[in-house]
Amino acid sequence: MATTRIDLDGRPVKPITICMIGAGGFIGSHLCEKLMSETPHRVLALDVYNDKIKHLLEPESLPWATRIQFHRLNIKHDSRLEGLIKMADLTINLAAICTPADYNTRPLDTIYSNFIDALPVVKYCSENNRRLIHFSTCEVYGKTIQSFLPKDSPLRQDPAYYVLKEDTSPCIFGSIEKQRWSYACAKQLIERLIYAEGAENGLEFTIVRPFNWIGPRMDFIPGIDGPSEGVPRVLACFSNNLLRREPLKLVDGGKSQRTFVYIKDAIEAVLLMIENPDRANGHIFNVGNPNNEVTVRQLAEMMTKVYTKVSGEPYLESPTIDVSSKEFYGEGYDDSDKRIPDMTIINKQLGWNPKTSLWDLLESTLTYQHRTYAEAIKKAMVKPTAS
């Protein structure tokens, strides 16, 4: 770790204390790793679970042991929250329900988790003059203007109608009965509240809109590193199918288009936000990789090839099957057609650009998941003997 870090304007970066809510999750675990290994900053790590950061907490002889503290709490009902925020210079809120299958089946939990539960965090930061980096979602954009144009319209080829810009793109959602938009609406409303706190009460904030961050420790593989029941996001769903030698399920033909960015690239962007507050405050940032755009069907095909390489297992005779969104997610599901981030603002303010190709990030992720799955199966086969 460098003794003195320099910000983008050539000034020394002062060590700060960060209250990280949701530190035990996928993004939080990678951010904690980065902060411990490369910076002098201190982290108050808040979460219900710490499995993904246990390697940073034990043993006490780790070189950063005095710079990270784990606090097991649920922000819904814990009186310690305000005190921990007051102890820090910066709060990063990563807590959320962000699994598409839950948006239909648990819309109330989704709205409460992403809006109601986030309210005290915003309130405490504003009242105590603490800076806030809040993690939102690319889903706040909803559907593109392109999706409403006639199929034969030449405007469909114009990026102005489908590339998503933080400061100009509208947020277009489906009807109220399409409960899939409960997540996006809750996330947009908390964004508006944060923005209003900044305008009226001087809250120093940065809002992050992640576009499909991918890498080791993401989501869960049902029954292996997560609950036995449940439907994780698309990449983890496909990973689960590959690991279990099952066909990959393509919802509504896999026509939707998505972009994917490697978690380590994305964490570099977050570190720039942390250490360059003058450049990041008051901004909303897309963090994604427009060069890694594929349809969900193309993603399935590429993952099948990558997995065959990392596992040595042969292709399935029928590698994919088509399922309807109603069958897979239930009533009330709806989807956005494509999500391609405009990178102008983050490039201008922070000089950040993603580096990792889709193939390389899939290879890293699937290598980790194949190893984790193999270890879990091996462990499950070692049963204790009767005494």
Side-chain angles (χ1 to χ4, degrees):
M1 183 186 73
T3 53
T4 303
R5 293 180 61 81
I6 304 298
D7 70 13
L8 292 174
D9 296 304
R11 298 170 299 199
V13 173
K14 296 179 181 178
I16 61 171
T17 297
I18 300 167
C19 176
M20 192 184 302
I21 301 167
F26 164 54
I27 296 173
S29 68
H30 285 275
L31 184 52
C32 283
E33 278 185 347
K34 186 79 169 178
L35 291 167
M36 292 301 103
S37 63
E38 297 185 21
T39 81
H41 306 311
R42 183 168 172 255
V43 174
L44 306 175
L46 282 56
D47 212 320
V48 178
Y49 305 105
N50 66 3
D51 295 10
K52 293 180 180 181
I53 58 170
K54 195 167 285 185
H55 63 292
L56 301 174
L57 304 173
E58 301 171 356
E60 293 183 0
S61 59
L62 289 168
W64 53 73
T66 60
R67 292 193 293 111
I68 184 168
Q69 295 177 3
F70 178 70
H71 298 265
R72 192 180 302 276
L73 61 81
N74 187 326
I75 62 171
K76 286 182 181 180
H77 37 63
D78 199 302
S79 59
R80 294 174 291 168
L81 180 61
E82 183 175 12
L84 289 164
I85 288 174
K86 289 169 73 173
M87 288 170 61
D89 304 288
L90 164 68
T91 292
I92 300 176
N93 189 8
L94 294 156
I97 287 178
C98 52
T99 305
D102 290 332
Y103 309 159
N104 279 0
T105 58
R106 299 169 57 201
L108 284 176
D109 285 344
T110 299
I111 293 167
Y112 271 80
S113 170
N114 293 291
F115 179 66
I116 302 298
D117 295 349
L119 288 175
V121 177
V122 180
K123 177 174 180 284
Y124 296 150
C125 287
S126 184
E127 290 178 348
N128 293 287
N129 297 313
R130 296 298 189 267
R131 185 180 170 217
L132 171 66
I133 295 179
H134 181 83
F135 273 68
S136 184
T137 172
C138 62
E139 294 219 9
V140 298
Y141 292 109
K143 302 184 179 188
T144 65
I145 297 173
Q146 181 203 59
S147 67
F148 294 92
L149 296 173
K151 297 292 184 184
D152 59 352
S153 172
L155 294 177
R156 292 180 70 89
Q157 307 306 314
D158 187 343
Y161 293 93
Y162 62 82
V163 173
L164 303 170
K165 300 184 177 183
E166 301 96 323
D167 53 349
T168 60
S169 293
C171 302
I172 307 172
F173 302 147
S175 63
I176 297 298
E177 68 180 17
K178 300 294 186 182
Q179 297 210 81
R180 185 253 192 278
W181 300 110
S182 58
Y183 172 66
C185 286
K187 283 291 194 179
Q188 186 199 133
L189 189 53
I190 199 68
E191 279 196 25
R192 292 190 180 277
L193 182 84
I194 291 167
Y195 199 90
E197 281 286 354
E200 294 191 25
N201 297 322
L203 172 66
E204 293 187 354
F205 72 87
T206 302
I207 292 171
V208 184
R209 291 178 179 168
F211 280 71
N212 297 304
W213 295 11
I214 302 302
R217 300 195 294 273
M218 67 170 291
D219 277 344
F220 61 87
I221 305 300
I224 299 299
D225 61 351
S228 297
E229 300 297 325
V231 181
R233 284 171 285 186
V234 61
L235 195 133
C237 277
F238 286 170
S239 298
N240 183 43
N241 295 143
L242 289 167
L243 291 166
R244 298 177 192 276
R245 304 286 293 159
E246 300 168 350
L248 280 60
K249 296 179 179 178
L250 299 177
V251 176
D252 294 337
K255 298 174 184 176
S256 296
Q257 292 170 274
R258 296 289 183 267
T259 59
F260 298 88
V261 66
Y262 191 41
I263 182 65
K264 294 188 183 300
D265 290 349
I267 291 300
E268 290 283 355
V270 179
L271 187 57
L272 287 168
M273 296 174 205
I274 292 170
E275 296 190 331
N276 294 273
D278 291 346
R279 289 171 173 255
N281 283 343
H283 285 285
I284 301 171
F285 291 118
N286 289 339
V287 182
N289 189 339
N291 296 320
N292 285 346
E293 184 201 4
V294 287
T295 66
V296 172
R297 180 176 289 276
Q298 289 170 331
L299 175 69
E301 292 167 352
M302 185 178 288
M303 287 184 68
T304 300
K305 292 176 182 176
V306 174
Y307 185 73
T308 298
K309 177 186 175 184
V310 302
S311 69
E313 297 174 5
Y315 288 102
L316 288 178
E317 189 172 327
S318 300
T320 63
I321 56 172
D322 288 358
V323 297
S324 70
S325 55
K326 181 178 178 180
E327 178 186 353
F328 194 77
Y329 289 116
E331 289 283 356
Y333 188 76
D334 198 7
D335 206 356
S336 54
D337 51 324
K338 62 167 63 182
R339 298 196 197 116
I340 303 176
D342 181 86
M343 307 302 292
T344 304
I345 294 178
I346 194 167
N347 187 260
K348 177 184 175 183
Q349 292 299 121
L350 302 176
W352 180 81
N353 279 302
K355 303 171 183 175
T356 309
S357 70
L358 183 57
W359 179 278
D360 288 344
L361 72 85
L362 289 176
E363 187 168 0
S364 170
T365 304
L366 289 172
T367 298
Y368 170 84
Q369 291 178 331
H370 180 255
R371 183 178 68 248
T372 302
Y373 185 72
E375 290 171 354
I377 294 298
K378 185 177 180 181
K379 186 176 181 182
M381 292 175 66
V382 180
K383 298 179 180 179
T385 55
S387 56

